[in-house]
Amino acid sequence: MGFEDSMEHVARGFEVIGVAVLVVGLFWAAAVAIRRWRAGEGRRAYQTVRELFGGALLLGLEVLVAADLIRTVAVSPTLESVAVLGLIVLIRTFLSFSLQVEIDGVPPWRRALTSGATVMARAARTSAPPTPPAD
């Protein structure tokens, strides 16, 4: 097995991780939203799904871009593959930007930049049920 074959396997591994992030994020968002909905917080359940799954999408896109980058640079560094990578990164950057604006409700330059993982962690913290006061 040569270097190119090894890098192809690494890129496929990143793709599997990216897809796993998307699938797990979807199920996690649904589970948390169902818990919120059953607690009678329908509007918050909807916001939680948007934040959690949006964060999973952002994180998944970042991992998938890494897979494309590895494949282009290490496996097939031709001018055509670099141009395709540039187009893919441009499209995914636009998608990430749009998702971030949709999740936060404001453009990123008006708010501290956060990654997909940060968005997911914040949504998970805010979706936890309140703890009753100690007597």
Side-chain angles (χ1 to χ4, degrees):
M1 178 184 292
F3 177 75
E4 289 181 4
D5 291 334
S6 298
M7 289 299 105
E8 181 64 32
H9 289 298
V10 170
R12 285 181 195 240
F14 270 88
E15 288 175 342
V16 168
I17 291 169
V19 170
V21 165
L22 294 173
V23 171
V24 169
L26 174 65
F27 287 118
W28 183 26
V32 172
I34 288 170
R35 188 177 72 205
R36 282 285 205 179
W37 181 69
R38 285 185 178 163
E41 301 175 17
R43 183 177 179 152
R44 185 64 191 140
Y46 174 71
Q47 290 172 332
T48 299
V49 161
R50 287 175 47 102
E51 289 176 1
L52 283 175
F53 190 59
L57 284 173
L58 286 172
L59 186 58
L61 281 173
E62 291 171 5
V63 174
L64 291 172
V65 166
D68 289 336
L69 184 63
I70 290 169
R71 183 171 286 115
T72 300
V73 172
V75 177
S76 60
T78 64
L79 189 56
E80 182 180 342
S81 65
V82 170
V84 169
L85 174 66
L87 184 60
I88 289 170
V89 168
L90 184 66
I91 291 168
R92 289 187 179 166
T93 301
F94 176 74
L95 287 173
S96 293
F97 176 80
S98 300
L99 282 169
Q100 192 70 47
V101 170
E102 185 70 22
I103 291 169
D104 293 339
V106 295
W109 57 85
R110 297 218 169 208
R111 190 157 196 219
L113 294 175
T114 58
S115 67
T118 305
V119 171
M120 291 173 68
R122 183 178 64 233
R125 277 194 311 273
T126 60
S127 68
T131 57
D135 290 326

